[in-house]
Structures are given as structure tokens and as C-alpha cells.
Amino acid sequence: MRVIVLGSGGTIPTQTRNLPSFALKRDGELLLFDCGEGTQLQLMGAKLGFGPLERICISHLHGDHVTGIPGLLMTLGQSNREKPLTIHGPPGIDTFIQSIMKNLSIHLHYQVHVAEIEKGLVHNNSHYRIESVPADHNIFTLAYAFIEAERPGRFDVTKARELGVPPGPLYRALQEGKDVRSGDGRIVRSSDIVGPPRPGRKVVYALDTRPCSAVVELARGADVLIHDAMFTEELQAEANERGHSTARQAAEIAQQAVVGQLILAHISPRYETAKELLDEALSIFTETRVGEDSMGVEIPVHK
Ligand SMILES: [Zn+2]
Ligand SMILES: [Zn+2]
């Protein structure tokens, strides 16, 4: 599973930072968090392709997070795409998408499902689920958590062999949690052979937001937290007034939520390099990096 930064900037794009969009690639499926202007070009640049795109989770209806949607929908319309695309977002997203389609005369041969949500479960399947909470911005904004399903525990083949269980259907039964009878008639318990379930990976996306306890709870134990870090502490009052966080505040959230790593995002165009932001966050939380466009972050499975 990999997170790819498509747009690490905020408010207005710069030569080096596009507007917010983060891709998540898992098992040939592609998801987007937000779709700022230029997202389709960034997707092409990252060689992620459009085919695997299944769903887009929109945080809120500020222009810098949604202006990439019309172009992306139209480009998808030029392909031979037949499978539907799902767009999740806060109340108002449906009207927004419908008005784009109507006013720009976009006619697509694939379906666009729009699902509005205020909080809670966004999507659930056998591989993963997506949850949301309201963040703390100047308009209604959602933070999202992508949470993989647990994987079955580790299967101890050596022990199974020692206890006389032949490979085949009995292995499968043990893996499914069933106790079996070995070749010599002894009961072999699943719990003797199969370890505890292994947790899935978790990625949390929280842009645009002031520091907020709901995000701490959502992000608890995440492998990766992508968090608003628009300014440094010097501009804390302005950041919070505008519904954003500083790099230090993002790092404090990461520390409280005990995440694996923090990616600073929604970097203000005022910073030519993000060194100040990084140094500030690193003084609180060492596993921090600044989101840079086209950067990929590999998230290994839990052993
Ligand atoms: Zn924004
Ligand atoms: Zn905003």
C-alpha cells in the first residue's frame, strides 16, 4: 500500500506545489483524498493511470479541494471507462457535482455515484473500510480514515507438521479458526497453530483543520497521518483563525495519536522551502516529513 502526494500545497498552486490531492494505491485499486486543480495531470505524472480509480473522498467544498473534479470527470469520459466512480463528501457535494455536469454539459458513459456523509462509516467492504469525523474548519469539513481489514494470524507450518496435521483442507480449517483432528486422532487447536489476527494498515487524512480532538481519536495508531500544517507557529493566530494548523500543532496531534509517521500538507505558498515547517514539527515528533508533490510513501504490512 502506498500514499502518493499529488498536491501538497493549499489555497493557490505554486510551481512546485499543486492544490490538495493525495492518492492511496492498494492492490491495484486507487483512491483519492480531495481533488484540487491539476489533480489529473499529477495522476498522469505519477503514472497511476485513471483506470484503477474507484472513489474520491472530498474533505470540504472550498475551491482549492474540488476544482480538479470537472477536468478529471471529463478526461475519464474520454477513456473507455465503464465502471462507476464514487465520490464521497460532505452535504452539498451532490448539488456541486450535479451542477458541474449540467452547466458544463458533461455527458458520461460511466456512472458517477455521489454519497453525502456527515460522520461515521463512509464505505465498507471485505478489504477495508473508510470512516469519517467532522474536523474543525471554517466550513463543514470531514477528516477520513482508511482502515484495512485485519489479516489472519501467522500459520506455524512447522508446528502443524510436528502435530501430525497433513497439508491441505485441514490447514485451511485451522486458518479459519476451526480445531481439527490430526492423522493419529489427536485434537489440534487452531489457536496452537495460528497466531492472533494481524492489524491492517491505517491512513488518516485531515485537511483543512485546526488541531482537534476528533482527529486525534480518528488517527489513533495510524501508520500515516496526513495533516494540515499551513504555517509555522509564528503565524499561529492567523492559521487558527483561518481554520488551519501550524506545523507544531500537526506534530502535537501526531504525538497524541501515536501515529507511525506524519506528513505535513496544505503548505502555504509563502514558503519557498518547507524547512522551517519541518524543523518545527521535528522538535515535537521525529517521524515527520513534508509532503512534496509526486512523493510516494510505502506502508509495509504489519508482521
Ligand atoms: Zn484548503
Ligand atoms: Zn478550506
Side-chain angles (χ1 to χ4, degrees):
M1 190 160 99
R2 205 149 65 94
V3 169
I4 305 100
V5 184
L6 302 178
S8 58
T11 317
I12 56 167
T14 66
Q15 300 273 15
T16 50
R17 294 190 192 281
N18 277 278
L19 290 177
S21 185
F22 284 73
L24 193 126
K25 192 160 199 298
R26 183 192 172 280
D27 264 3
E29 185 179 331
L30 191 64
L31 265 97
L32 291 183
F33 294 105
D34 281 333
C35 190
E37 180 189 337
T39 294
Q40 57 166 325
L41 282 170
Q42 291 295 98
L43 273 171
M44 289 178 203
K47 300 203 166 21
L48 291 167
F50 297 121
L53 184 59
E54 293 280 335
R55 58 190 77 249
I56 306 177
C57 297
I58 296 293
S59 62
H60 66 306
L61 290 167
H62 275 158
D64 53 335
H65 296 251
V66 293
T67 41
I69 295 176
L72 180 59
L73 292 182
M74 287 191 284
T75 299
L76 289 179
Q78 298 299 314
S79 69
N80 51 8
R81 183 185 183 98
E82 284 174 6
K83 67 176 176 182
L85 175 74
T86 304
I87 301 178
H88 305 279
I93 186 79
D94 192 32
T95 308
F96 174 71
I97 301 292
Q98 299 318 324
S99 88
I100 289 174
M101 307 277 252
K102 185 163 171 269
N103 294 311
L104 300 182
S105 304
I106 300 178
H107 303 291
L108 304 172
H109 47 260
Y110 62 92
Q111 289 217 308
V112 178
H113 298 310
V114 184
E116 295 190 344
I117 181 106
E118 287 185 34
K119 65 172 181 184
L121 188 65
V122 174
H123 176 76
N124 193 16
N125 64 36
S126 57
H127 303 292
Y128 64 83
R129 68 183 197 276
I130 303 173
E131 292 184 0
S132 66
V133 295
D136 182 10
H137 193 40
N138 290 347
I139 65 167
F140 184 78
T141 297
L142 290 166
Y144 290 98
F146 176 96
I147 305 165
E148 251 186 337
E150 280 183 337
R151 288 188 307 138
R154 187 179 296 281
F155 190 96
D156 190 339
V157 178
T158 313
K159 202 161 174 197
R161 215 174 276 148
E162 276 169 16
L163 293 175
V165 184
L170 292 183
Y171 273 27
R172 196 169 324 121
L174 286 165
Q175 188 81 68
E176 287 167 359
K178 294 174 194 142
D179 299 338
V180 303
R181 208 172 277 278
S182 70
D184 59 11
R186 276 182 299 173
I187 295 284
V188 177
R189 296 191 192 291
S190 170
S191 57
D192 292 338
I193 305 291
V194 182
R198 291 170 282 183
R201 293 161 286 188
K202 180 173 173 182
V203 173
V204 170
Y205 179 80
L207 262 66
D208 303 354
T209 185
R210 300 178 185 94
C212 106
S213 57
V215 168
V216 175
E217 289 316 310
L218 186 74
R220 199 162 292 287
D223 295 84
V224 173
L225 168 63
I226 301 159
H227 199 282
D228 190 312
M230 191 160 171
F231 296 132
T232 57
E233 272 298 293
E234 201 182 30
L235 295 174
Q236 195 210 22
E238 187 181 343
N240 294 166
E241 192 196 321
R242 291 171 62 178
H244 292 279
S245 300
T246 65
R248 183 191 171 92
Q249 289 172 330
E252 285 167 352
I253 297 290
Q255 189 184 46
Q256 287 164 29
V258 199
V259 303
Q261 59 175 303
L262 168 66
I263 300 177
L264 304 179
H266 209 281
I267 309 299
S268 162
R270 68 184 290 129
Y271 301 104
E272 264 181 41
T273 80
K275 190 172 180 324
E276 284 171 76
L277 294 154
L278 181 62
D279 289 346
E280 185 175 293
L282 282 174
S283 70
I284 305 283
F285 189 75
T286 53
E287 299 305 313
T288 303
R289 55 173 105 180
V290 176
E292 301 289 351
D293 288 17
S294 304
M295 174 178 107
V297 177
E298 202 65 47
I299 309 169
V301 292
H302 296 282
K303 301 266 182 228

